[in-house]
Short mmCIF file of all heavy atoms in Angstrom, two decimals:
data_model
loop_
_atom_site.label_atom_id
_atom_site.label_comp_id
_atom_site.label_asym_id
_atom_site.label_seq_id
_atom_site.Cartn_x
_atom_site.Cartn_y
_atom_site.Cartn_z
N ALA A 1466 28.93 -24.57 -18.30
CA ALA A 1466 27.64 -24.78 -18.92
C ALA A 1466 27.68 -24.43 -20.41
O ALA A 1466 28.47 -23.55 -20.80
CB ALA A 1466 26.60 -23.97 -18.21
N HIS A 1467 26.86 -25.07 -21.18
CA HIS A 1467 26.74 -24.73 -22.61
C HIS A 1467 25.26 -24.66 -23.02
O HIS A 1467 24.46 -25.49 -22.57
CB HIS A 1467 27.45 -25.79 -23.48
CG HIS A 1467 28.91 -25.92 -23.10
ND1 HIS A 1467 29.85 -24.95 -23.38
CD2 HIS A 1467 29.57 -26.90 -22.41
CE1 HIS A 1467 31.02 -25.33 -22.92
NE2 HIS A 1467 30.88 -26.51 -22.31
N CYS A 1516 27.21 -24.16 -29.69
CA CYS A 1516 26.99 -23.55 -28.38
C CYS A 1516 26.72 -22.07 -28.60
O CYS A 1516 27.39 -21.42 -29.37
CB CYS A 1516 28.25 -23.73 -27.53
SG CYS A 1516 28.01 -22.93 -25.92
N MET A 1518 26.97 -19.83 -26.28
CA MET A 1518 27.95 -18.97 -25.61
C MET A 1518 28.91 -18.66 -26.76
O MET A 1518 29.67 -19.52 -27.25
CB MET A 1518 28.65 -19.70 -24.50
CG MET A 1518 27.88 -19.69 -23.18
SD MET A 1518 26.52 -20.91 -23.23
CE MET A 1518 26.07 -20.98 -21.52
N HIS A 1521 32.50 -19.65 -26.94
CA HIS A 1521 32.72 -21.09 -27.10
C HIS A 1521 32.54 -21.48 -28.54
O HIS A 1521 33.31 -22.27 -29.08
CB HIS A 1521 31.75 -21.88 -26.22
CG HIS A 1521 31.94 -21.69 -24.75
ND1 HIS A 1521 31.08 -22.22 -23.82
CD2 HIS A 1521 32.88 -21.03 -24.06
CE1 HIS A 1521 31.49 -21.89 -22.60
NE2 HIS A 1521 32.59 -21.18 -22.73
N MET A 1526 33.25 -24.85 -30.59
CA MET A 1526 32.08 -25.64 -30.25
C MET A 1526 30.96 -25.39 -31.25
O MET A 1526 29.94 -24.77 -30.95
CB MET A 1526 31.63 -25.41 -28.81
CG MET A 1526 30.71 -26.49 -28.32
SD MET A 1526 30.26 -26.36 -26.62
CE MET A 1526 31.58 -27.25 -25.81
CU1 CU B 3060 29.55 -23.39 -24.59
#
Side-chain angles (χ1 to χ4, degrees):
H1467 303 288
C1516 178
M1518 277 76 168
H1521 295 173
M1526 198 175 272

